[in-house]
Amino acid sequence: MAKKKSVEIGEMTARDALIVVDVQKDFCPGGALAVPDGDEVVPVINRLQELFTTVVFSRDWHPPGHVSFSEQPKFVDGSWPKHCLAGSDGAGFHPQLQVPLHATVLSKGTEKDREAYSVFDVGDLAQTLRHQQVERLFVVGLATNYCVKETVQAGLKEGFQLVLVSDACRGLDIPKGAVKKALDEMSKAGALIVESKKLPRSV
Ligand code: VGL
Ligand code: ZN
């Protein structure tokens, strides 16, 4: 009988890094650009962190009048209500998200005229990770079909192996099916999509 093909994660090592994308108040219920159930990723991500020696946090961090802000916000591709204003309360991490004191925090979308969905748009993250001998990235956070997807795609282009932990992500399903489409695109591009319970140490 044919065995169902299973994803091989193997051992977790110091060559793995966790990238936590934009788990900020504005992307959680009650926030300016709320992702449905966005806050549900928080306990999953807090548990996952125990598996990693390297954890990088990104935050969306826009100046007033950022190019992505729209007067008539449509919640579609590139036209958003004002969100994640640098230094504002809404731009803060979710209060229950564990962010270790010395964690790397990368702010993105800080230039007024340029959108930046991928964490790799900030500085030389790829180079830094390579210097740390990181080979494989586990990506989690918000929103699946924007900053998470672009980070996964950019990471693959930089030559990393990519794992998306599906229950540690939530997306904006507008139009309906957009999140599924994003998952398919990431998978086709070469990312593994796994649930956190499939990771080596049960978390
Ligand atoms: C994001 C829309 C606008 C994200 C950021 O973090 O996915 N989405 N800015
Ligand atoms: Zn933004």
Side-chain angles (χ1 to χ4, degrees), residues 35-103:
V35 175
D37 303 325
D39 53 341
E40 290 181 3
V41 304
V42 172
V44 185
I45 293 171
N46 285 346
R47 284 197 301 275
L48 277 175
Q49 290 190 46
E50 292 162 19
L51 297 177
F52 295 88
T53 48
T54 305
V55 184
V56 174
F57 295 82
S58 75
R59 60 185 180 187
D60 213 32
W61 201 250
H62 298 314
H66 186 251
V67 63
S68 75
F69 297 169
S70 161
E71 288 308 316
Q72 285 98 34
K74 294 194 288 275
F75 266 71
V76 283
D77 282 340
S79 169
W80 309 109
K82 256 188 225 127
H83 64 280
C84 296
L85 276 166
S88 68
D89 183 63
F93 289 119
H94 185 284
Q96 262 84 55
L97 180 71
Q98 280 169 30
V99 183
L101 203 53
H102 298 290

Side-chain angles (χ1 to χ4, degrees), residues 150-164:
E150 300 253 344
T151 297
V152 165
Q153 290 174 331
L156 285 164
K157 285 206 183 97
E158 292 286 355
F160 295 99
Q161 295 169 45
L162 256 296
V163 182
L164 182 98

Side-chain angles (χ1 to χ4, degrees), residues 19-41:
I19 312 284
V20 181
V21 178
D22 299 0
V23 183
Q24 293 164 274
K25 290 185 200 172
D26 270 349
F27 293 124
C28 290
L33 214 181
V35 175
D37 303 325
D39 53 341
E40 290 181 3
V41 304

